[in-house]
Amino acid sequence: MGRLEGMALEPLVDGHGRRIADLRVSVTDRCNFRCQYCMPAEGLPWLERDEVLHFEEIERIVRLLAAMGVGDVRLTGGEPLVRREFPRLVAMLAPLADDLSVTTNGYLLERDAEALVRAGVNRFNVSIDSLQRDRFFEMTRRDALPRVLRGLEVLAGFPEAHPIKVNAVAMRGFTEDEVLPFARFAREHPYEVRFIEFMPLDADHAWTPDSVLTGDEVRALIEEHFPLAATPREPHATARVYRFADGRGSIGFINPVSEPFCGDCNRIRLTADGKLRTCLFSLNETDLRGPMRAGATDADLEHIVREAVWRKELKHHVNEPGFIQPARSMSAIGG
Ligand code: SAM
């Protein structure tokens, strides 16, 4: 898999010698949740329909990148499951990717899990920030926890979708009370819970360094009750994974703020409107939609992609004075 029609191009590398192998594709900027750390309560001005890449355009870019060795493809948004005919897009991309995953808030999983697994998704990340209904509502501005948990259960019924990851954003003043319920959840279910440090990608610009509950702080709270044992970090991994010392499940920490993992970052992103981003925190992006719609050949596109990737940022500057938050929020970038 991964190389259609036997086409193989030179690997895609950046100017710091990192080989790019992972693509995050935002399939829509729209979302049915309004999470505090991402979107304003009233939503954002959505892209016009024609601004959003068509399935064939996404497929073309994925195919080109696959030929350059980008085999890991994650579909995200916005909320990917709100994109009409999303399983059809999955079926188009599955033959091109070595690993095809989806990040979702889970609201539509009850409806779509089976179609997505059948279409070729082999890994899922489901975002859940609280296991208490009222606090879930407070964070997402949607009273949807029971429905999300039902979706997760439906998904768990497909062994080919395991292991399932459950991601919780860690925010000071909120997540401390969630830590133990999530630790128990990870011990009692076939889910790997991962805490993601709150990043300055919120549309409300409410992020401050102090609002981040760090992975180390979360881990200390867990270890008061359940001892943990570190597992070796996989190359290019975003998460530091720990096993519960008694062997009952594992838990992960994604610490982009307190422990950046830019050094071996192999990821690039494609926004729903066809812009290539080489870092979550990029201040520049490279348009692929315009050239594609103006008749660019694959060789033209390859050249544009290689030029952009060559300039991939060495690291983010979140912890430095003068850090500038990108104009787009996480939902518009594709987290
Ligand atoms: N709607 C899908 C979902 O909820 O998983 C996919 C898109 S969402 C933008 C992807 C992930 O980004 C979610 O796990 C979400 O919690 C996370 N996220 C959004 N804003 C964030 C922020 N400011 N800091 C850290 N994680 C964030």
Side-chain angles (χ1 to χ4, degrees):
M1 286 219 296
R3 315 286 165 268
L4 209 73
E5 295 151 12
M7 186 172 78
L9 301 171
E10 288 293 309
L12 186 58
V13 287
D14 76 2
H16 308 286
R18 293 171 298 195
R19 190 171 164 162
I20 305 305
D22 186 310
L23 172 71
R24 311 279 162 105
V25 182
S26 172
V27 303
T28 177
D29 60 325
R30 294 174 192 238
C31 192
N32 42 6
F33 282 18
R34 295 287 180 273
C35 302
Q36 304 261 3
Y37 49 75
C38 192
M39 267 201 203
E42 65 279 14
L44 289 165
W46 307 129
L47 293 167
E48 298 290 333
R49 180 173 293 225
D50 203 47
E51 292 179 289
V52 176
L53 290 185
H54 307 143
F55 285 0
E56 291 69 24
E57 292 171 324
I58 296 175
E59 183 193 28
R60 183 174 174 200
I61 295 172
V62 170
R63 183 189 303 270
L64 177 71
L65 289 168
M68 293 190 253
V70 182
D72 291 347
V73 179
R74 170 177 300 281
L75 305 177
T76 179
E79 170 51 37
L81 276 59
V82 305
R83 175 103 190 229
R84 198 181 301 180
E85 293 193 82
F86 180 56
R88 187 167 71 81
L89 175 65
V90 168
M92 288 166 72
L93 301 182
L96 304 174
D98 299 322
D99 184 65
L100 185 64
S101 54
V102 167
T103 299
T104 173
N105 61 30
Y107 188 77
L108 294 170
L109 267 182
E110 247 185 319
R111 183 191 78 182
D112 288 350
E114 178 169 3
L116 292 174
V117 172
R118 301 271 176 258
V121 177
N122 39 14
R123 288 192 301 124
F124 288 82
N125 287 357
V126 183
S127 306
I128 304 179
D129 298 312
S130 171
L131 292 169
Q132 303 171 60
R133 186 169 178 167
D134 55 335
R135 305 196 81 232
F136 182 98
F137 180 29
E138 180 190 338
M139 188 55 99
T140 61
R141 303 182 176 114
R142 296 290 183 267
D143 181 17
L145 180 64
R147 183 169 167 155
V148 169
L149 291 178
R150 286 199 305 274
L152 197 58
E153 249 174 67
V154 172
L155 189 59
F158 296 95
E160 54 277 57
H162 289 212
I164 298 165
K165 293 180 179 141
V166 170
N167 292 337
V169 175
M171 297 178 76
R172 189 176 306 287
F174 182 88
T175 307
E176 294 87 338
D177 291 344
E178 305 301 326
V179 169
L180 280 185
F182 271 123
R184 293 196 185 96
F185 192 67
R187 290 167 60 74
E188 288 159 11
H189 296 91
Y191 312 134
E192 182 181 303
V193 174
R194 298 156 1 138
F195 292 93
I196 309 179
E197 289 176 349
F198 178 31
M199 290 180 273
L201 292 167
D202 54 321
D204 289 337
H205 288 239
W207 183 92
T208 61
D210 192 50
S211 59
V212 182
L213 185 68
T214 67
D216 277 356
E217 291 175 287
V218 175
R219 189 158 56 84
L221 290 172
I222 295 175
E223 295 220 74
E224 283 174 18
H225 298 262
F226 304 110
L228 296 171
T231 68
R233 177 177 184 258
E234 302 277 332
H236 317 293
T238 55
R240 307 300 296 257
V241 180
Y242 288 70
R243 291 196 179 294
F244 288 101
D246 62 5
R248 284 185 64 189
S250 59
I251 199 139
F253 303 92
I254 302 177
N255 304 338
V257 179
S258 69
E259 206 182 347
F261 34 82
C262 309
D264 65 354
C265 177
N266 65 351
R267 290 173 284 282
I268 54 175
R269 295 183 144 77
L270 180 67
T271 65
D273 54 347
K275 307 284 193 284
L276 187 73
R277 294 180 64 91
T278 47
C279 174
L280 262 182
F281 297 98
S282 290
L283 297 174
N284 302 306
E285 31 191 52
T286 301
D287 184 30
L288 299 182
R289 187 193 67 200
M292 269 196 297
R293 292 188 184 173
T297 64
D298 280 352
D300 297 334
L301 277 184
E302 181 187 349
H303 180 73
I304 296 169
V305 168
R306 286 195 190 279
E307 288 269 299
V309 165
W310 186 256
R311 295 190 303 273
K312 178 172 162 67
E313 297 79 350
L314 177 61
K315 62 188 187 84
H316 72 61
H317 299 283
V318 169
N319 299 310
E320 295 166 25
F323 165 72
I324 301 168
Q325 179 166 340
R328 291 200 202 227
S329 67
M330 191 70 135
S331 66
I333 294 171

